[in-house]
Amino acid sequence: MTTKALSKEFEAIVGAENVLTQESDLHSYAYDAAVLPSQSPAIAVRPTTREALGKVVKLCNDNALPLTIRGAGTNLSGGTIPKAGGVVALTGALDKILEINEADLYAVVEPGVVTAKFAAEVAKLGLFYPPDPGSQAVSTLGGNVAENAGGLRGLKYGVTKDYVMGLSFFDVNGELIKTGSRTVKCVTGYNLAGLMVASEGTLGVFDTITLKLVPPPKAAKAMMAVFDSVIAACEAVAAIIAAKIVPATLEFLDNFTIRTVENFRHAGLPVEAEALLLIEVDGHPAMVEEDAAKVEAICKEHKAKSVRVAKDAAERNAVWQARRDALPALARVRPTTVLEDATVPRSKIPAMMAILEEIAKKYQLTIGTFGHAGDGNLHPTILTDKRDTHEWERVEKAIDEIFERALALGGTLSGEHGIGMAKSKYLVQETSRGTIAFSRKMKKAIDPKNILNPDKIIGAEGKNG
Amino acid sequence: MADLKRLVGMMQELDDQLVTCMRCGMCQAVCPLFAQTGREADVARGKLALLDGLTHEMLKDPLGVNERLNRCLLCGTCEANCPSGVKVLDIFLKARAIMTGYLGLPPAQKAIFRGLLANPKLFNTLLGIGAKFQGLFTKPVDDMLGSSCARFNSPLIGDRHFKRLAARPFHKIVAKLDEPRQQGGRKVAFFVGCVLDKVFPEVAEAALVALKRNGVAVFLPENQACCGIPAISGGDVKTFEKLIAQNLEVFAGGDFDHLLTACATCTSTIRKVWKSMARKPELAEAVARLADKTMDVSQYLVDVVGVKPAALKAGAPSVTYHDPCHLKNSLGITAQPRTVIAAAGYALKEMTDAGTCCGCGGSFNLKHYELSKTIGGRKADNVVASGAGLVATSCPACMLQLTDMLSQKGAKIPVKHVLQLYASGA
Ligand SMILES: Cc1cc2nc3c(=O)[nH]c(=O)nc-3n(C[C@H](O)[C@H](O)[C@H](O)COP(=O)(O)OP(=O)(O)OC[C@H]3O[C@@H](n4cnc5c(N)ncnc54)[C@H](O)[C@@H]3O)c2cc1C
Ligand code: SF4
Ligand code: SF4
């Protein structure tokens, strides 16, 4: 069928005003937050009901059209860059919270609900949805599930997958598949919900998501500990965990990031420090007091130069402002910001930091590193200019080496940003040829015409092992 | 249409700024237009990507890009919240100038900008006639007035509850002033601006009362021209520079410490846009000197004169404050107008989302009036929900939009400029 004939068919499903075929509209769905070349789709559609979304999937399959689902388009791995000639379906209009159940502690949502809006609605009822990716003000819950998004609270509260109780999703024929339930326990059938988490739109299209809610902590206390060496900071982290305290957040900033943030905000950060730990403990008020005192003592035992415990909401906010400023401050240094998320076992952070320093020197690049010290999820951030082709070549080599070395330390390619197109070529290094062959067979069985976000995660056929 | 290569060549100057957008998408959280439409081409990230696409020859349809570029409130909320510090408004205005240079100015705009705006005397005469025969000449007068300020640069339509032109514009009430400085005292120049002059002369009068009360001498030269924002929003650099030159000339003779305006849009235009967009080298130095001296009246009263909040009396009337985008987003001014309200003896009742755009519309044209109305309607709902008896703001363009939106909702809440409250007291 011609694009024109096809767009008529899409119009019949979603209405003429929700089918976009003009060059300028299409180009605005050609990218996401990854530093990768743009690719416009042939058609973009914006279904306003879930039924229409299902029909869009079926129409694509009937015509063997590649289909990429797009939430807020904030993923950092090229997961929403469509294939040439393909279709982009937007979930923005599917933004209803269908149910928040206070008795059974769950909520059912459409995939286009914005994470922070959902968390705020839940909080209004005195409940808590912990996953808090840095993009939560815009990211969608569908995108969060499809990327298994993490966030600052990962160490204690886990990541998105720990909150997905059930899903309904469309298969390529537009058939509704149900998995999981509204109960805490459920062993009915394969754990398809588990399979759909982090599937990046390659196996099915979410229709509704059932998410677990928890009671919020009654109290929280934040502090900032200053260290002269990364190793001392990491030893403090290990000692905190060994003392059986699990802080809600345990964040790390390296010296370059500290200096850049200070330059940006002028909040009086210690620019000489080699590392800052930003720590928050939460829970029952009495326990919070006790844990905070213990964490403070442990940091001091591990050669913290100073530990500042926030006394009130304003001071607590100041602690987290420093963390929130990390990316904005770094992003302003050079035109292009490459945010990576190679992750290593917690104990390997000092080794990884040394490696990053070595890589920055070797390829003559500026790298600022911050991240989640509690779970080893670092964000080495390369500050560069993609227009400088010589420098960009070095950036690509540096990224290759970061992954190689992180894997050698027993780490993983991506803690939370997903594989998408950006990292599919490294997948075999972390897994195996067999794993990829298995994944391909599974994908082929579920999606014989390979329409669902083709080439993401496992790469194009014939490439990647 | 001239060949695309020429446009691509012209766009190159934007490349260094365009590349700073990291496509993080965080602007989706704050763009009032995106909140209504959910369209990526309506949010800063989308528009920047389109400009980038043109610059790098990925796109062949400059008209399509131009249309989307112009669908923007120019409210600057995206820029104020951008983690990467992208100078979004600067890019958009430069891009509009490039587009206009390439596509040419549409005839209607050309007639208004070059024929009227750039000739303040003719403009005033015509509007003067219009004011006398309101109802008879509503349409052409609306068209003219509609383009006298970028924030409502639209041919206004029938059901709009539009504030009428003042019977006597401000320049007929106070033609000029040059008060002597008191011994060692303060002296400011006052820039009136089109909307204050032609629709809200009472606000300009209130500003003078406020300054007098604080012993500040005023220099107010005649023949002031428009600040130029409608022209530059339409990409008309020629008219823009002409207007700047006229203003520089009338203010050149004065002795003053600061240039004040009571219009958020004029303040931010003179302070920021003049500097970035007036590129004639012979203008640059004088522009920088005047721009750096430019302030909002409330900001001046609080930061320079030292006006303090008054003790709140029991039963003080309540007011809620709307932050104009051009003060909050462009200049980061939010506290000073609130202090002036408190100094006037009013009890401030904050509304939800005081800092979101009223949807006034920038160069939104007729087509987008519905959108502007939806955005403004939410603002009106928030004003009503605050329970305050009055709504005050610091920009006459916002005053127009608020009046329109509140009256369409049948809410009888008066709209005032902060300085009117201060001048008359609670
Ligand atoms: C500034 C910034 C900070 C970030 N911080 C974090 C962080 O702290 N932690 C973290 O984990 N990530 C972070 N991210 C990455 C990103 O925000 C997350 O991956 C997020 O989950 C993506 O959500 P989205 O709605 O933008 O999804 P999109 O980018 O639109 O899509 C992501 C993937 O989900 C698929 N998808 C979306 N909806 C559906 C659906 N209904 N059915 C099937 N597939 C679907 C898409 O096809 C795509 O493959 C950050 C990104 C930015 C720009
Ligand atoms: S917030 Fe700034 S950097 Fe991010 S997409 Fe929008 S304009 Fe670009
Ligand atoms: S200026 Fe306002 S309307 Fe325009 S893109 Fe930015 S936030 Fe949206």
Side-chain angles (χ1 to χ4, degrees):
Chain A
M1 248 192 279
T2 61
T3 309
K4 203 162 184 166
L6 271 172
S7 55
K8 281 268 167 289
E9 300 234 355
F10 281 113
E11 281 175 14
I13 300 173
V14 298
E17 69 283 12
N18 292 311
V19 177
L20 306 172
T21 52
Q22 287 190 27
E23 181 191 68
S24 315
D25 287 322
L26 297 174
H27 187 74
S28 68
Y29 299 113
Y31 53 79
D32 50 36
V35 188
L36 290 171
S38 303
Q39 171 62 58
S40 294
I43 296 181
V45 296
R46 189 166 189 264
T48 52
T49 64
R50 285 176 278 130
E51 295 67 45
L53 176 64
K55 288 183 187 159
V56 165
V57 180
K58 180 168 167 30
L59 183 60
C60 288
N61 195 48
D62 291 347
N63 293 281
L65 290 169
L67 169 66
T68 298
I69 308 292
R70 184 180 175 100
T74 66
N75 76 86
L76 290 153
S77 47
T80 43
I81 300 180
K83 242 182 128 70
V87 175
V88 163
L90 309 169
T91 62
L94 307 173
D95 61 351
K96 282 188 267 314
I97 299 175
L98 302 170
E99 182 186 1
I100 299 181
N101 193 311
E102 294 169 78
D104 294 329
L105 295 182
Y106 70 80
V108 184
V109 299
E110 292 190 332
V113 172
V114 170
T115 315
K117 284 194 186 146
F118 174 65
E121 286 306 313
V122 164
K124 276 189 200 158
L125 299 171
L127 290 170
F128 185 34
Y129 177 70
D132 60 343
S135 52
Q136 60 175 330
V138 294
S139 74
T140 64
L141 289 166
N144 291 167
V145 174
E147 296 285 355
N148 189 14
L152 297 190
R153 303 191 183 109
L155 177 60
K156 177 169 176 179
Y157 290 98
V159 296
T160 304
K161 76 164 190 267
D162 300 304
Y163 294 85
V164 179
M165 295 172 75
L167 275 175
S168 62
F169 63 89
F170 296 105
D171 73 0
V172 287
N173 296 311
E175 208 74 58
L176 255 192
I177 313 296
K178 292 192 173 163
T179 160
S181 84
R182 296 163 188 226
T183 56
V184 172
K185 298 181 177 175
C186 169
V187 292
T188 318
Y190 289 123
N191 180 5
L192 298 179
L195 182 62
M196 299 311 284
V197 170
S199 65
E200 299 188 17
T202 63
L203 298 177
V205 175
F206 309 151
D207 163 69
T208 65
I209 306 165
T210 305
L211 293 165
K212 180 169 89 176
L213 305 175
V214 297
K218 291 205 169 53
K221 199 149 211 159
M223 64 192 90
M224 181 187 288
V226 181
F227 291 88
D228 272 340
S229 82
V230 175
I231 294 183
C234 293
E235 283 170 351
V237 170
I240 292 168
I241 310 276
K244 306 202 171 47
I245 299 172
V246 185
T249 21
L250 219 176
E251 295 291 301
F252 165 90
L253 305 186
D254 75 350
N255 174 267
F256 183 81
T257 309
I258 298 168
R259 279 187 285 131
T260 313
V261 169
E262 179 54 20
N263 212 356
F264 172 61
R265 178 77 55 182
H266 306 290
L269 293 186
V271 292
E272 302 299 318
E274 279 302 313
L276 273 189
L277 288 182
L278 310 176
I279 309 167
E280 182 160 303
V281 287
D282 69 2
H284 187 275
M287 201 180 90
V288 166
E289 285 304 320
E290 199 178 300
D291 283 355
K294 267 198 225 159
V295 170
E296 188 180 354
I298 292 172
C299 286
K300 286 189 175 146
E301 273 161 39
H302 287 84
K303 302 196 223 100
K305 265 179 38 184
S306 73
V307 183
R308 222 167 57 211
V309 182
K311 281 190 267 323
D312 51 33
E315 286 190 19
R316 176 178 177 224
N317 192 41
V319 169
W320 293 114
Q321 189 64 46
R323 172 61 177 83
R324 280 194 294 271
D325 283 344
L327 184 59
L330 290 173
R332 283 162 212 243
V333 176
R334 296 284 308 278
T336 310
T337 309
V338 183
L339 183 62
E340 283 303 343
D341 80 327
T343 301
V344 293
R346 196 159 37 223
S347 62
K348 295 292 193 317
I349 294 179
M352 193 64 208
M353 287 302 299
I355 287 170
L356 288 169
E357 199 171 315
E358 183 194 321
I359 290 176
K361 271 213 192 85
K362 179 168 165 191
Y363 297 104
Q364 302 152 53
L365 296 171
T366 311
I367 305 183
T369 302
F370 60 96
H372 319 297
D375 52 28
N377 183 193
L378 294 176
H379 292 307
T381 307
I382 308 178
L383 311 178
T384 176
D385 185 341
K386 65 182 176 195
R387 297 169 302 175
D388 179 339
T389 44
H390 293 294
E391 183 168 325
W392 189 250
E393 270 172 31
R394 299 201 304 276
V395 171
E396 290 187 320
K397 284 191 188 134
I399 295 174
D400 287 350
E401 190 163 338
I402 290 174
F403 288 136
E404 204 176 290
R405 308 280 294 264
L407 291 177
L409 291 175
T412 179
L413 288 173
S414 172
E416 53 183 20
H417 293 169
I419 300 299
M421 322 211 305
K423 294 180 198 164
S424 59
K425 68 172 173 171
Y426 306 107
L427 199 60
V428 66
Q429 280 173 261
E430 180 171 343
T431 60
S432 66
R433 279 173 198 280
T435 312
I436 289 172
F438 180 89
S439 306
R440 287 220 167 111
K441 272 187 268 178
M442 182 181 74
K443 164 93 168 146
K444 194 154 195 149
I446 292 172
D447 176 16
K449 296 186 189 167
N450 194 25
I451 64 148
L452 292 175
N453 221 4
D455 306 353
K456 310 293 151 55
I457 309 182
I458 47 179
E461 198 76 46
K463 280 192 192 164
N464 200 1
Chain B
M1 203 184 296
D3 75 311
L4 206 53
K5 277 264 180 274
R6 192 169 70 89
L7 177 62
V8 170
M10 289 156 81
M11 297 286 294
Q12 293 309 317
E13 67 160 295
L14 293 181
D15 197 47
D16 279 343
Q17 284 183 297
L18 285 174
V19 75
T20 57
C21 169
M22 57 178 175
R23 303 280 186 270
C24 68
M26 296 307 283
C27 38
Q28 294 174 96
V30 296
C31 174
L33 189 55
F34 181 79
Q36 292 309 318
T37 66
R39 293 262 171 109
E40 179 85 15
D42 283 339
V43 77
R45 176 171 71 165
K47 294 186 171 83
L48 294 168
L50 292 181
L51 294 173
D52 186 68
L54 262 188
T55 310
H56 294 106
E57 300 180 67
M58 287 181 269
L59 301 178
K60 291 176 192 64
D61 175 23
L63 283 172
V65 175
N66 195 42
E67 195 184 301
R68 283 156 189 80
L69 180 65
N70 285 323
R71 257 173 77 98
C72 173
L73 296 155
L74 293 178
C75 66
T77 320
C78 46
E79 175 169 330
N81 292 283
C82 169
S84 195
V86 179
K87 299 266 170 287
V88 182
L89 290 190
D90 200 37
I91 296 174
F92 286 176
L93 288 176
K94 283 182 183 150
R96 287 180 180 205
I98 293 171
M99 285 289 189
T100 302
Y102 174 73
L103 298 169
L105 204 57
Q109 278 191 11
K110 193 165 180 171
I112 292 174
F113 293 159
R114 306 229 164 129
L116 287 176
L117 212 53
N119 298 306
K121 284 188 192 142
L122 178 61
F123 186 35
N124 283 336
T125 315
L126 281 177
L127 283 178
I129 298 170
K132 287 206 188 81
F133 297 96
Q134 277 201 33
L136 259 184
F137 286 121
T138 322
K139 175 71 175 123
V141 168
D142 271 0
D143 279 356
M144 277 184 275
L145 186 65
S147 44
S148 74
C149 173
R151 307 293 316 286
F152 54 114
N153 194 2
S154 55
L156 301 162
I157 57 171
D159 71 339
R160 202 165 166 161
H161 295 202
F162 197 63
K163 177 89 168 65
R164 296 185 152 217
L165 287 174
R168 281 183 80 198
F170 182 72
H171 68 270
K172 292 272 188 219
I173 304 170
V174 183
K176 58 177 173 176
L177 277 179
D178 195 0
E179 299 167 346
R181 226 182 246 275
Q182 293 170 11
Q183 184 83 45
R186 303 187 164 102
K187 182 159 180 181
V188 298
F190 187 64
F191 179 84
V192 185
C194 305
V195 188
L196 238 56
D197 184 55
K198 291 156 186 65
V199 185
F200 295 110
E202 63 273 23
V203 174
E205 289 179 274
L208 295 184
V209 171
L211 292 168
K212 184 169 223 110
R213 186 181 302 162
N214 289 286
V216 182
V218 175
F219 171 58
L220 188 144
E222 54 186 345
N223 295 327
Q224 297 187 18
C226 160
C227 71
I229 193 70
I232 201 67
S233 305
D236 184 357
V237 184
K238 199 170 146 194
T239 305
F240 180 68
E241 291 191 327
K242 198 169 163 202
L243 291 167
I244 293 181
Q246 284 173 25
N247 281 318
L248 287 176
E249 197 184 314
V250 300
F251 283 100
D255 148 49
F256 53 89
D257 319 328
H258 296 279
L259 177 76
L260 303 190
T261 96
C263 170
T265 305
C266 295
T267 310
S268 86
T269 303
I270 300 176
R271 240 199 117 81
K272 294 182 83 173
V273 184
W274 278 22
K275 271 211 236 175
S276 66
M277 297 298 297
R279 285 185 270 172
K280 270 196 194 153
E282 64 269 30
L283 287 182
E285 205 185 309
V287 159
R289 234 180 297 127
L290 198 60
D292 291 341
K293 281 187 181 180
T294 304
M295 283 180 123
D296 166 66
V297 179
S298 295
Q299 181 193 14
Y300 177 79
L301 290 175
V302 175
D303 293 353
V304 180
V305 176
V307 165
K308 295 262 178 315
L312 200 61
K313 291 205 190 84
S318 63
V319 57
T320 190
Y321 178 71
H322 160 70
D323 286 291
C325 294
H326 289 159
L327 277 194
K328 178 174 192 265
N329 295 327
S330 308
L331 302 167
I333 294 173
T334 55
Q336 297 92 327
R338 288 176 167 81
T339 305
V340 170
I341 287 175
Y346 281 81
L348 185 65
K349 264 191 174 176
E350 291 285 353
M351 67 174 110
T352 310
D353 294 338
T356 47
C357 182
C358 65
C360 197
S363 58
F364 258 33
N365 61 30
L366 246 183
K367 262 199 304 211
H368 312 312
Y369 182 64
E370 282 308 312
L371 267 174
S372 164
K373 204 163 125 179
T374 324
I375 298 170
R378 288 178 57 169
K379 187 90 232 179
D381 290 342
N382 287 334
V383 169
V384 174
S386 76
L390 260 176
V391 53
T393 186
S394 304
C395 181
C398 299
M399 288 171 72
L400 283 172
Q401 169 83 345
L402 289 169
T403 309
D404 181 13
M405 292 300 134
L406 284 165
S407 96
Q408 293 209 17
K409 297 228 167 215
K412 295 197 173 49
I413 300 179
V415 180
K416 297 277 179 195
H417 194 287
V418 165
L419 294 172
Q420 289 176 284
L421 303 188
Y422 181 76
S424 52

